[in-house]
Amino acid sequence: VETILKGGEKGPAIIPGNAEASLLYRRVAGLEKPIIPMAPLPPLTQQEIALLKSWIDSVSSPSAKEGGTAKSAPSVAGYNERAIAPEDRQWWSFQKPAPHPIPKVTDPRWETNPIDAFIKYALDQKGLQSAPQADRNTLIRRAYLDLTGLLPSPQEVDDFVHDSSPQAYEKLIERLLASPHYGERWGRFWLDVTRYADSSGYELDFDIANAWRYRDYVIRSFNQDKPYNRFIIEQLAGDELDDRDDDCLIATTYYRIGPRVRYREKDNPYYRYEYLDDTIRTTFQGFMGLSVNCARCHDHKFDPISRMDYYRTMAMLFGNVEYDHKLAPPEKVVEYEKAKKEVEDQIRPLMRRVFEIEAPYRKAAFERRLAKFPEEIQVAVRTPEEKRTPGQKLLAAQIVSPDVGPDAAVNQNVTALYSRQRIKTNDADQAVREKILDQVEALLKRMPAPLPVAEGVRDGDYRLAPDGAGDEPLPGKGNRFNYGIECCFLPQPGQQYRPPPVYFAANGIDVAEDQKSFVVEPGYLQALVNGAPPTSHSPKTGGSSGRRRAMAEWIASPDNPLTARVMVNRIWHWHFGHGIVTTPSNFGKMGAKPSHPELLDWLATEFIRQGWSVKQMSRLIMNSETYKMTSDFSQAANLEKDPANIYLWRFPLRRLEAEAIRDVILSASGRINLQAGGQPFFP
């Protein structure tokens, strides 16, 4: 190490704690020439490069050790990455949850359930008196609303109140957890976390045609009690799993929902960075309770998350491109594509002939329309495009639209191209055109029924994405950056896939300026890792970097100190109206401290021990005396010591959400529609 630090004529081979500035790393990563190792030796793999980078970043300089604290890394492209100091790793939520011993309590009522022991111990420490148990009418109503969002029928209430069985309440909870309405109710909670909507927002607010499949997937997952760690991995990297099924592909719709413009994407490359920022925000606040997105433009102001961490995270996600997965066996997909192509190939020449018939009529109609505009616009349009001034280009762009030919139109959407409502022609041309359209109509009847589709993602190269809505190159538009690459939007069979590079501080506003920065390698939040966890886990079938899968498995690992804590806190929040940490999406320094830290840790370790079962956590919570307390209890001393009921000396009062209120009203009226799933309605 001493020799490496000393270096040779060009200086030290590594700069401790800063791989980006280290000559050795820059050579093997191809950031400087010549690249090493040289031929005939093969270049290092991305995983090997990432391992080297992580090692250099973790090496402490001799001077840093002397004072016992790490020092800032040298400047790279004007940026000094903050070094992670030992005290940064001491934040409570960065410590792995410990299975704290269950406190001893003397009251028999609070001895059976471990949750009660933790709660009762805290109440005794604070000198708070606990509320008595709620009556049976209240308990059944509470359980129904909590797990299904519906009220029990009068007969169900009467049966429960008069059931003398000591297991009556436990049986009620089991019945409700098995209800299909449980997934609808609890799936909605999760859909709020992942910012679900059936449309994209912004001024155009495009529908996401197949978003509902993700909604139904979430409902199924809760009803099936899918292990939460698997649930995470499917959403973040379902397409990269070796055992993937349709649900895994549907789960990746996670990336496609949320605020999206979905229009003129090619002319606005910064949209991609906005979408990635939204994904980073949702992923880390949702799964890990960390506001990593706050480090986009500068190091996080409060938490040990650097701007480099943000771009390392972006590099883990950067390979994904929008992809519509056909939900059918491969042989069915091949059969469908073949049948569809056969029909389109027959339609294409027929529609070309229709366009030829219509061409003179379209030109005449355009001339009549153009004649109504001011002379300067007419001159601009009639001036050949290559001779137009910048001002004329802008004027012409308001009038001229690209003439979509039959080939392009057929490739986009055959049914949209075919229409009997077309431009008016003379009788002779009309007769010929109608005869051709009759043939097209007959061919369209042979078009195979569309296969179901999941709007998800897979790895590819966004720089070569096909044109989407609004991306047609119009005059005055299309000022697109030439990335200088030719292949390929999607990895080709047998081709080694390399994700596109991520440049530090890139934002897509000026692509040329972005590329003057240095390339950032994928990685994890430095305050939460020791050593060099793998940054890729490629599927056996290839065609993907495996970075998203590696990140998903890191998040879903039982060794991750945050993931289980954050989810059990959400479950607690959904049952009681507030979490043990009252900021469920922020476990950082600006978030609230846990009211019962030992209980939170115990629940997190129990969650993992019970196979990441959400239903088991609900079962444990709802069978506790803490959950069964009445909310109709008040005591002056309690109100003085704990007016906000932070320590749960009674069951919290809370408002019922609008959805549940509406369902209860419809249920009482007999007009509720309990059919679940399928396409949404348009309000």
Side-chain angles (χ1 to χ4, degrees):
V1 174
E2 185 178 339
T3 305
I4 294 174
L5 291 172
K6 182 179 179 182
E9 294 178 356
K10 296 185 180 296
I14 71 166
I15 296 176
N18 194 345
E20 297 291 348
S22 300
L23 185 60
L24 176 62
Y25 170 74
R26 295 184 70 79
R27 289 285 176 83
V28 300
L31 303 178
E32 289 187 19
K33 301 291 179 65
I35 300 173
I36 57 174
M38 295 182 178
L41 295 176
L44 298 187
T45 66
Q46 291 294 316
Q47 186 171 346
E48 290 168 337
I49 294 171
L51 184 63
L52 174 64
K53 180 180 185 302
S54 181
W55 175 73
I56 296 172
D57 284 337
S58 66
V59 173
S60 299
S61 65
S63 59
K65 294 177 182 176
E66 293 171 7
T69 58
K71 297 188 177 179
S72 295
S75 174
V76 181
Y79 169 74
N80 290 307
E81 182 181 9
R82 64 171 293 177
I84 301 300
E87 55 267 26
D88 289 330
R89 301 179 186 272
Q90 299 308 309
W91 182 246
W92 73 268
S93 66
F94 292 179
Q95 306 301 304
K96 188 175 178 181
H100 295 279
I102 299 168
K104 299 293 183 184
V105 293
T106 57
D107 188 335
R109 177 188 172 197
W110 300 87
E111 286 181 334
T112 306
N113 190 310
I115 290 174
D116 293 330
F118 283 105
I119 294 294
K120 177 62 174 171
Y121 180 80
L123 290 176
D124 290 345
Q125 292 292 305
K126 301 293 180 181
L128 298 167
Q129 183 180 341
S130 58
Q133 191 176 108
D135 60 61
R136 284 203 161 194
N137 278 289
T138 300
L139 287 178
I140 188 172
R141 175 189 175 91
R142 181 182 297 169
Y144 261 82
L145 288 172
D146 211 354
L147 291 180
T148 69
L150 300 167
L151 282 176
S153 68
Q155 184 62 52
E156 287 169 321
V157 174
D158 192 57
D159 290 345
F160 176 69
V161 168
H162 293 95
D163 189 341
S164 60
S165 167
Q167 283 79 43
Y169 178 77
E170 287 82 354
K171 290 178 181 177
L172 168 68
I173 300 304
E174 291 304 317
R175 188 168 74 250
L176 294 176
L177 287 172
S179 166
H181 302 312
Y182 163 80
E184 297 161 19
R185 169 76 165 165
W186 279 64
R188 193 197 68 78
F189 294 152
W190 183 255
L191 293 171
D192 285 348
V193 174
T194 57
R195 72 325 185 199
Y196 176 83
D198 288 308
S199 63
S200 298
Y202 291 101
E203 62 271 24
L204 297 173
D205 197 27
F206 287 118
D207 287 341
I208 309 171
N210 292 282
W212 62 271
R213 295 189 192 278
Y214 174 77
R215 176 245 293 153
D216 287 0
Y217 156 80
V218 169
I219 292 171
R220 278 196 304 276
S221 296
F222 274 92
N223 276 334
Q224 295 166 0
D225 199 20
K226 180 171 289 183
Y228 179 65
N229 57 344
R230 173 72 181 195
F231 187 54
I232 294 170
I233 293 169
E234 288 181 352
Q235 290 172 88
L236 295 178
D239 60 300
E240 293 188 322
L241 297 177
D242 293 318
D243 61 344
R244 61 184 175 268
D245 56 14
D246 284 355
D247 266 4
C248 293
L249 301 177
I250 294 168
T252 65
T253 304
Y254 169 86
Y255 291 93
R256 302 280 292 273
I257 52 180
R260 302 287 186 268
V261 179
R262 290 178 169 244
Y263 188 74
R264 291 188 63 180
E265 307 269 324
K266 288 292 192 66
D267 290 332
N268 296 281
Y270 76 91
Y271 288 171
R272 177 173 175 82
Y273 290 86
E274 295 298 312
Y275 302 165
L276 285 163
D277 184 70
D278 167 69
T279 301
I280 290 170
R281 175 190 295 108
T282 305
T283 299
F284 282 87
Q285 290 187 9
F287 294 120
M288 290 176 60
L290 287 179
S291 52
V292 175
N293 54 291
C294 290
R296 181 180 183 182
C297 303
H298 49 71
D299 289 351
H300 201 291
K301 297 295 186 184
F302 306 101
D303 299 329
I305 302 169
S306 69
R307 195 179 185 195
M308 189 72 78
D309 278 335
Y310 178 91
Y311 279 92
R312 288 188 186 105
T313 301
M314 181 179 286
M316 296 293 283
L317 299 165
F318 207 62
N320 89 78
V321 295
E322 294 186 356
Y323 185 77
D324 292 348
H325 297 279
K326 293 184 174 62
L327 304 176
E331 62 275 11
K332 290 289 185 184
V333 175
V334 171
E335 181 183 319
Y336 167 79
E337 295 290 355
K338 180 182 177 182
K340 180 171 176 285
K341 184 177 183 301
E342 287 176 354
V343 174
E344 288 179 348
D345 286 348
Q346 294 178 70
I347 289 176
R348 190 172 288 107
L350 295 172
M351 290 310 302
R352 185 179 293 111
R353 177 62 184 136
V354 170
F355 270 66
E356 289 170 356
I357 292 170
E358 294 173 346
Y361 300 98
R362 291 180 186 277
K363 183 177 180 180
F366 176 75
E367 289 294 335
R368 289 193 297 272
R369 176 168 168 259
L370 181 61
K372 298 177 182 179
F373 286 90
E375 183 179 355
E376 62 268 24
I377 293 181
Q378 296 185 43
V379 171
V381 171
R382 293 195 170 100
T383 300
E385 187 175 343
E386 66 277 5
K387 294 182 179 180
R388 289 173 188 159
T389 66
Q392 286 179 322
K393 288 180 181 179
L394 290 173
L395 289 173
Q398 299 176 58
I399 308 303
V400 178
S401 59
D403 216 1
V404 179
D407 292 340
V410 168
N411 289 337
Q412 289 173 15
N413 191 336
V414 168
T415 55
L417 179 66
Y418 166 76
S419 171
R420 293 285 181 172
Q421 304 299 319
R422 308 186 71 89
I423 192 168
K424 189 174 182 180
T425 66
N426 63 33
D427 291 344
D429 285 337
Q430 170 71 4
V432 175
R433 184 175 61 180
E434 285 297 312
K435 187 175 181 180
I436 296 171
L437 290 176
D438 286 343
Q439 297 177 59
V440 172
E441 187 172 357
L443 287 168
L444 285 171
K445 292 177 181 177
R446 291 166 44 193
M447 186 71 75
L451 295 174
V453 165
E455 293 184 49
V457 298
R458 58 167 296 177
D459 270 5
D461 196 324
Y462 73 97
R463 297 170 294 184
L464 294 170
D467 285 351
D471 283 338
E472 303 88 352
L474 293 173
K477 281 178 54 180
N479 300 316
R480 297 174 188 170
F481 185 79
N482 182 2
Y483 292 98
I485 53 174
E486 296 181 359
C487 182
C488 299
F489 171 54
L490 299 176
Q492 302 302 299
Q495 176 192 34
Q496 184 181 7
Y497 171 71
R498 291 187 180 277
V502 173
Y503 295 94
F504 180 75
N507 56 26
I509 294 174
D510 186 334
V511 179
E513 191 65 26
D514 288 344
Q515 296 194 353
K516 293 178 182 178
S517 185
F518 56 89
V519 174
V520 179
E521 294 300 322
Y524 303 102
L525 307 183
Q526 297 303 292
L528 291 176
V529 294
N530 290 302
T535 56
S536 66
H537 191 160
S538 301
K540 295 175 182 177
T541 53
S544 174
S545 67
R547 289 181 181 179
R548 283 180 289 111
R549 180 175 173 183
M551 186 181 77
E553 291 179 349
W554 175 72
I555 291 174
S557 168
D559 293 325
N560 190 306
L562 284 153
T563 307
R565 268 198 189 109
V566 168
M567 188 54 180
V568 295
N569 187 67
R570 289 195 189 280
I571 295 169
W572 190 274
H573 168 84
W574 293 332
H575 279 299
F576 288 99
H578 63 76
I580 296 172
V581 175
T582 56
T583 52
S585 294
N586 191 349
F587 276 46
K589 291 183 179 178
M590 294 304 288
K593 292 283 189 70
S595 58
H596 300 78
E598 293 83 7
L599 172 58
L600 181 62
D601 274 13
W602 185 87
L603 287 169
T605 56
E606 184 68 7
F607 185 40
I608 295 169
R609 192 183 74 82
Q610 296 279 2
W612 301 81
S613 166
V614 174
K615 283 189 177 182
Q616 181 57 24
M617 286 296 101
S618 289
R619 189 176 286 118
L620 189 65
I621 290 169
M622 296 181 73
N623 280 297
S624 70
E625 288 298 315
T626 305
Y627 182 84
K628 290 188 274 188
M629 282 191 293
T630 182
S631 57
D632 186 17
F633 174 78
S634 182
Q635 197 204 48
N638 282 9
L639 289 170
E640 183 178 347
K641 295 174 185 177
D642 183 21
N645 192 30
I646 296 298
Y647 293 97
L648 292 175
W649 46 270
R650 66 181 176 190
F651 190 82
L653 286 167
R654 54 187 168 128
R655 292 181 183 275
L656 198 61
E657 317 93 283
E659 293 95 330
I661 291 173
R662 179 179 183 274
D663 285 347
V664 166
I665 292 171
L666 288 172
S667 179
S669 72
R671 297 177 60 193
I672 191 168
N673 180 355
L674 294 177
Q675 182 178 352
Q679 296 187 26
F681 66 89
F682 190 85

